[in-house]
Amino acid sequence: RQAFFVARYFMKNVLITIIFFSSILTICNGQTNSNVKNNALSLELGRVGLIANLSFDHKFKTKNYGYHFDIGSNFLKYQQIFQTGGGLYYLSGHKNNFLELGIDLRYFEYVETSDDQSDLILLWIDKPTKTIYSNLNIGYRYYGDKSLFRIGISPRLMNSGFVLGGYIGLGFRL
């Protein structure tokens, strides 16, 4: 059990460090004279339950595709969920309104710390689990002058079962 907590601690810290340095390098390399801001930081709700995700997003200059990294939790006491990951997306549309199509690879961990109490019952998960899964993103993306809004569905195969999730996010452009 001790090894599990050490591995979990290591995994979280390594992923947080990778996400931090990737976002800093992208922001530093993206300094141009253009007024278009290609990076965004947003808070997203959803994906695999009532989870709050902090997301860093980068759209390539003059291209209709980009990538994102995120990290999230449900912040509950007895049914703890942690997830992190990233993915690629393609945007179809013009000006500020886009159809977003993407694919992600994620690490998901569900830990139940008490079997006689519950915070929020997840209907699609019946036991503690750690897994890596991929999902698709199909949604709407709006770029404001200083803002980013996203909403969509996010189907996935997890533990040999199909799970339909959704997401909604709001952020600001960097």
Short mmCIF file of all heavy atoms in Angstrom, two decimals, residues 8 19 21-22 31-32 42 62 70 74 94 116 123 135 137 140 145 152-154 167 170:
data_model
loop_
_atom_site.label_atom_id
_atom_site.label_comp_id
_atom_site.label_asym_id
_atom_site.label_seq_id
_atom_site.Cartn_x
_atom_site.Cartn_y
_atom_site.Cartn_z
N ARG A 8 1.80 7.15 -6.75
CA ARG A 8 0.79 8.19 -7.03
C ARG A 8 1.39 9.57 -6.85
O ARG A 8 1.21 10.46 -7.69
CB ARG A 8 -0.39 8.00 -6.10
CG ARG A 8 -1.49 8.98 -6.31
CD ARG A 8 -2.64 8.71 -5.38
NE ARG A 8 -3.66 9.72 -5.53
CZ ARG A 8 -4.60 9.95 -4.67
NH1 ARG A 8 -4.70 9.21 -3.58
NH2 ARG A 8 -5.49 10.88 -4.86
N ILE A 19 3.66 19.57 -17.45
CA ILE A 19 2.65 20.51 -17.92
C ILE A 19 3.12 21.95 -17.71
O ILE A 19 2.99 22.79 -18.59
CB ILE A 19 1.31 20.26 -17.23
CG1 ILE A 19 0.71 18.94 -17.71
CG2 ILE A 19 0.33 21.41 -17.46
CD1 ILE A 19 -0.47 18.45 -16.89
N PHE A 21 6.27 23.21 -17.42
CA PHE A 21 7.35 23.60 -18.32
C PHE A 21 6.91 23.67 -19.77
O PHE A 21 7.35 24.53 -20.52
CB PHE A 21 8.57 22.69 -18.15
CG PHE A 21 9.38 23.02 -16.93
CD1 PHE A 21 9.44 22.15 -15.87
CD2 PHE A 21 10.05 24.23 -16.83
CE1 PHE A 21 10.17 22.46 -14.74
CE2 PHE A 21 10.78 24.55 -15.70
CZ PHE A 21 10.84 23.66 -14.64
N SER A 22 6.00 22.80 -20.19
CA SER A 22 5.48 22.86 -21.55
C SER A 22 4.74 24.16 -21.79
O SER A 22 4.89 24.80 -22.84
CB SER A 22 4.55 21.69 -21.84
OG SER A 22 5.25 20.48 -21.79
N GLN A 31 6.12 34.52 -28.36
CA GLN A 31 6.12 35.97 -28.31
C GLN A 31 6.26 36.54 -29.71
O GLN A 31 7.29 36.37 -30.36
CB GLN A 31 7.25 36.48 -27.41
CG GLN A 31 7.19 35.98 -25.99
CD GLN A 31 5.92 36.44 -25.28
OE1 GLN A 31 5.46 37.54 -25.50
NE2 GLN A 31 5.37 35.59 -24.46
N THR A 32 5.23 37.20 -30.19
CA THR A 32 5.25 37.81 -31.52
C THR A 32 4.66 39.20 -31.41
O THR A 32 4.12 39.60 -30.39
CB THR A 32 4.42 36.99 -32.52
OG1 THR A 32 3.06 37.01 -32.10
CG2 THR A 32 4.92 35.56 -32.62
N SER A 42 -7.78 27.70 -18.84
CA SER A 42 -9.21 27.66 -18.55
C SER A 42 -9.54 26.66 -17.45
O SER A 42 -8.77 25.76 -17.15
CB SER A 42 -10.00 27.33 -19.82
OG SER A 42 -9.63 26.07 -20.32
N THR A 62 -1.70 30.56 -37.32
CA THR A 62 -2.17 30.40 -38.70
C THR A 62 -2.59 28.98 -39.06
O THR A 62 -2.71 28.63 -40.22
CB THR A 62 -1.12 30.88 -39.74
OG1 THR A 62 -0.01 29.99 -39.74
CG2 THR A 62 -0.66 32.30 -39.46
N ASP A 70 -4.15 19.06 -19.32
CA ASP A 70 -4.98 19.42 -18.18
C ASP A 70 -4.75 18.48 -17.01
O ASP A 70 -4.18 17.41 -17.15
CB ASP A 70 -6.47 19.51 -18.53
CG ASP A 70 -7.04 18.23 -19.09
OD1 ASP A 70 -6.58 17.14 -18.71
OD2 ASP A 70 -7.97 18.32 -19.90
N ASN A 74 -11.94 15.77 -8.31
CA ASN A 74 -13.30 16.06 -7.86
C ASN A 74 -13.29 16.69 -6.47
O ASN A 74 -14.33 17.13 -6.00
CB ASN A 74 -14.17 14.80 -7.88
CG ASN A 74 -13.68 13.74 -6.93
OD1 ASN A 74 -12.60 13.81 -6.35
ND2 ASN A 74 -14.49 12.71 -6.77
N HIS A 94 -14.79 29.45 -38.92
CA HIS A 94 -14.14 30.70 -39.29
C HIS A 94 -14.37 31.75 -38.21
O HIS A 94 -15.23 31.59 -37.34
CB HIS A 94 -14.67 31.20 -40.64
CG HIS A 94 -16.12 31.53 -40.62
ND1 HIS A 94 -17.09 30.58 -40.63
CD2 HIS A 94 -16.75 32.73 -40.57
CE1 HIS A 94 -18.28 31.16 -40.60
NE2 HIS A 94 -18.11 32.46 -40.56
N ASP A 116 -17.81 2.89 4.19
CA ASP A 116 -19.09 3.06 4.86
C ASP A 116 -19.65 4.48 4.72
O ASP A 116 -20.69 4.79 5.26
CB ASP A 116 -18.98 2.71 6.34
CG ASP A 116 -18.00 3.60 7.08
OD1 ASP A 116 -17.18 4.26 6.42
OD2 ASP A 116 -18.06 3.63 8.32
N LEU A 123 -22.02 6.42 -11.04
CA LEU A 123 -22.80 5.28 -11.51
C LEU A 123 -22.01 4.35 -12.42
O LEU A 123 -22.31 3.18 -12.53
CB LEU A 123 -24.06 5.77 -12.23
CG LEU A 123 -25.01 6.58 -11.36
CD1 LEU A 123 -26.16 7.10 -12.20
CD2 LEU A 123 -25.53 5.74 -10.21
N ASN A 135 -9.97 9.25 -25.29
CA ASN A 135 -11.33 9.71 -25.54
C ASN A 135 -11.35 10.66 -26.73
O ASN A 135 -10.32 11.22 -27.11
CB ASN A 135 -11.95 10.37 -24.31
CG ASN A 135 -11.24 11.62 -23.89
OD1 ASN A 135 -10.17 11.55 -23.32
ND2 ASN A 135 -11.81 12.78 -24.17
N ASN A 137 -13.21 14.12 -28.46
CA ASN A 137 -13.88 15.36 -28.09
C ASN A 137 -14.59 15.89 -29.31
O ASN A 137 -13.98 16.07 -30.37
CB ASN A 137 -12.87 16.40 -27.60
CG ASN A 137 -12.12 15.95 -26.38
OD1 ASN A 137 -12.70 15.42 -25.46
ND2 ASN A 137 -10.82 16.14 -26.39
N TYR A 140 -18.09 22.55 -29.43
CA TYR A 140 -18.11 23.91 -29.95
C TYR A 140 -17.05 24.71 -29.20
O TYR A 140 -16.91 24.59 -27.98
CB TYR A 140 -19.49 24.54 -29.72
CG TYR A 140 -19.55 26.01 -29.98
CD1 TYR A 140 -19.54 26.52 -31.27
CD2 TYR A 140 -19.60 26.91 -28.91
CE1 TYR A 140 -19.60 27.88 -31.50
CE2 TYR A 140 -19.66 28.28 -29.13
CZ TYR A 140 -19.66 28.76 -30.43
OH TYR A 140 -19.70 30.11 -30.65
N ASP A 145 -12.03 38.04 -27.67
CA ASP A 145 -10.77 38.80 -27.71
C ASP A 145 -9.81 38.35 -26.62
O ASP A 145 -8.61 38.20 -26.85
CB ASP A 145 -11.03 40.29 -27.57
CG ASP A 145 -11.71 40.86 -28.80
OD1 ASP A 145 -11.57 40.26 -29.88
OD2 ASP A 145 -12.37 41.90 -28.68
N GLY A 152 -18.94 20.50 -25.08
CA GLY A 152 -19.03 19.36 -25.98
C GLY A 152 -19.23 18.05 -25.26
O GLY A 152 -19.41 18.00 -24.04
N ILE A 153 -19.19 16.98 -26.05
CA ILE A 153 -19.29 15.64 -25.51
C ILE A 153 -17.93 14.96 -25.64
O ILE A 153 -17.12 15.33 -26.49
CB ILE A 153 -20.40 14.80 -26.19
CG1 ILE A 153 -20.13 14.66 -27.68
CG2 ILE A 153 -21.76 15.40 -25.93
CD1 ILE A 153 -21.06 13.69 -28.38
N SER A 154 -17.71 13.97 -24.79
CA SER A 154 -16.41 13.32 -24.73
C SER A 154 -16.56 11.82 -24.49
O SER A 154 -16.37 11.34 -23.37
CB SER A 154 -15.59 13.97 -23.61
OG SER A 154 -14.30 13.46 -23.57
N TYR A 167 -18.30 18.11 -21.32
CA TYR A 167 -17.45 19.12 -20.71
C TYR A 167 -17.95 20.51 -21.07
O TYR A 167 -18.60 20.72 -22.09
CB TYR A 167 -15.99 18.96 -21.14
CG TYR A 167 -15.76 19.08 -22.63
CD1 TYR A 167 -15.46 20.28 -23.22
CD2 TYR A 167 -15.86 17.96 -23.45
CE1 TYR A 167 -15.26 20.39 -24.58
CE2 TYR A 167 -15.65 18.04 -24.81
CZ TYR A 167 -15.36 19.27 -25.37
OH TYR A 167 -15.17 19.37 -26.72
N LEU A 170 -14.42 27.52 -19.50
CA LEU A 170 -14.32 28.95 -19.69
C LEU A 170 -12.93 29.38 -19.23
O LEU A 170 -12.48 28.98 -18.16
CB LEU A 170 -15.39 29.66 -18.87
CG LEU A 170 -15.48 31.17 -19.03
CD1 LEU A 170 -15.78 31.56 -20.46
CD2 LEU A 170 -16.52 31.74 -18.08
#
